[in-house]
Amino acid sequence: MGHPFPLREIARQAGLSEATVDRVLNGRGGVRDSTAQEVRRAIADLDRQRTQVRLVGRTFMIDIVMQAPERFTTAVRSALESELPSLHPAVLRSRFHFRETGPVRELVATLDRIVRRGSQGVILKAPDVPEVTAAVGRLVAAGIPVVTLVTDLPASARLAYVGIDDRAAGATAAYLMGQWLGDRPGNVLTSLSSGFFRNEEEREMGFRSLMRARHPERALVEIAEGQGLDATQYDLVRAALERDPAIRAVYSIGGGNIATLRAFADLGRDCDVFVAHDLDQDNTGLLREHRLSAVLHHDLRHDVREACHTVMRAHGALPPAGPRLPSAIQVVTPYNMPPPGAAG
């Protein structure tokens, strides 16, 4: 396993002991396959980050902990690594802890491992449940600042939230939905990946409130717990369409949009208006094909940069900043898409 990095640096990146890393690198056995994979990932992360920043000045090691579909965590990783050159005067190194779904106790165990081994900051996307709130408290008590990204934990001891105003985003989706459906009859399917993510709950409330005020005659049909994954989303959408033949539009709060459209197609149903969130790889392709009406997007690179700056300020590496405003909400249609590679 060739590499140019000191043993201590790899161990720090992987969050393992130097002895364990040494056994993996020299093939001496006695370690699990998953541990060896962590060492390989650490070397790959170091190599990518080394090509984008000069290793000078003060260095921060932060942990990025997220429960989200792979398409979103891939976008976050790309956004962070694209922003590394802008983070001077400090140099930032990151450890990634990504999962698509799973028991809350496993996510809490990840946060508690970070408490034990130490970190200079955690950027977190997690369900808003008491167990996670308590784990954030343990991180902060250990002197590790926590910044929530794209979905908040307002009852926790987190230092700051970085992201959009989700109620405003939901209301924007309702406005577009009402304009585009016009006087045509039909119900609207609202789709959440999980009811435990604060951002999705806020979006749904903003959407429902404006729809109730401006279009009280239009029924809203909610599905949830598809985790934004195509495999689970398809069955939920198909069952909803079979129960309600009047559904003709979708507000996708939590993703899984390829599966949603496939369910419409398999039942021979039209989706007249489809509003989604985030210009990830899936949604970019669907928008180009005119299968989505609009995507509510925000600059993920900006958000990641702000989260990192917040951690750096907590350690005195940057001067204090004024109150943080929510990230701007962009309405993207097939006709105003950013050029390839420009969307954060």
Side-chain angles (χ1 to χ4, degrees):
M1 195 181 299
H3 62 86
F5 307 107
L7 184 68
R8 179 175 299 177
E9 196 169 3
I10 299 170
R12 186 182 184 206
Q13 179 75 25
L16 301 169
S17 70
E18 292 182 31
T20 298
V21 173
D22 183 67
R23 285 199 298 273
V24 172
L25 295 179
N26 291 288
R28 284 199 281 270
V31 294
R32 295 189 297 271
D33 287 343
S34 59
T35 302
Q37 291 173 8
E38 288 180 21
V39 173
R40 286 192 285 270
R41 279 196 298 269
I43 292 172
D45 288 342
L46 286 170
D47 189 57
R48 275 197 307 274
Q49 295 169 35
R50 184 185 63 151
T51 64
Q52 298 186 59
V53 297
R54 294 174 59 212
L55 300 182
V56 297
R58 188 168 175 185
T59 300
F60 287 87
M61 176 64 74
I62 66 170
D63 290 87
I64 320 295
V65 183
M66 295 200 161
Q67 179 172 316
E70 184 179 0
R71 62 179 178 273
F72 183 78
T73 55
T74 297
V76 169
R77 183 193 288 265
S78 176
L80 176 61
E81 293 179 348
S82 296
E83 285 300 308
L84 288 178
S86 74
L87 296 177
H88 292 295
V91 171
L92 185 141
R93 289 290 182 82
S94 51
R95 293 182 292 232
F96 299 97
H97 314 268
F98 294 157
R99 58 187 230 146
E100 291 196 308
T101 187
V104 169
R105 66 177 181 275
E106 294 180 2
L107 179 60
V108 169
T110 296
L111 298 176
D112 285 339
R113 282 196 298 272
I114 294 170
V115 171
R116 291 193 297 271
R117 75 186 181 197
S119 178
Q120 288 167 298
V122 170
I123 297 175
L124 178 64
K125 179 185 183 295
D128 185 11
V129 296
E131 299 92 329
V132 174
T133 295
V136 170
R138 293 190 289 274
L139 284 161
V140 174
I144 301 172
V146 177
V147 178
T148 52
L149 181 70
V150 306
T151 185
D152 199 10
L153 302 170
S156 74
R158 56 92 171 122
L159 179 61
Y161 160 69
V162 176
I164 62 174
D165 179 335
D166 285 295
R167 286 208 186 204
T172 300
Y175 172 78
L176 296 172
M177 188 70 67
Q179 292 292 107
W180 286 335
L181 281 177
D183 296 330
R184 290 175 290 176
N187 299 334
V188 180
L189 182 70
T190 62
S191 171
L192 294 84
S193 73
S194 172
F196 294 106
F197 284 101
R198 173 68 59 144
N199 66 330
E200 296 191 17
E201 180 183 60
E202 295 279 345
R203 292 173 187 176
E204 193 274 339
M205 287 190 288
F207 183 82
R208 186 175 294 275
S209 177
L210 191 62
M211 290 294 290
R212 185 183 299 119
R214 299 185 60 156
H215 308 284
E217 77 289 350
R218 209 176 287 285
L220 305 182
V221 181
E222 180 180 312
I223 60 172
E225 305 310 318
Q227 305 303 322
L229 304 176
D230 287 337
T232 48
Q233 182 75 1
Y234 177 85
D235 291 338
L236 290 170
V237 174
R238 181 167 183 138
L241 293 176
E242 289 173 340
R243 288 193 303 269
D244 188 341
I247 294 173
R248 64 184 304 159
V250 174
Y251 174 37
S252 175
I253 300 171
N257 300 326
I258 290 175
T260 296
L261 287 165
R262 181 159 53 88
F264 271 87
D266 287 354
L267 292 175
R269 300 270 290 275
D270 292 327
C271 182
D272 294 339
V273 180
F274 197 134
V275 180
H277 279 270
D278 300 323
L279 274 182
D280 57 31
Q281 184 176 0
D282 286 0
N283 286 344
T284 297
L286 293 173
L287 201 58
R288 285 201 181 102
E289 296 167 2
H290 291 245
R291 299 176 70 193
L292 299 181
S293 308
V295 170
L296 302 182
H297 180 62
H298 60 284
D299 187 344
L300 190 55
R301 285 181 57 170
H302 170 272
D303 287 356
V304 167
R305 182 170 65 250
E306 282 298 303
C308 293
H309 282 169
T310 301
V311 171
M312 291 158 64
R313 287 188 189 102
H315 292 281
L318 290 176
R324 179 180 295 103
L325 297 175
S327 302
I329 301 168
Q330 306 168 29
V331 179
V332 183
T333 73
Y335 302 101
N336 69 331
M337 294 181 65

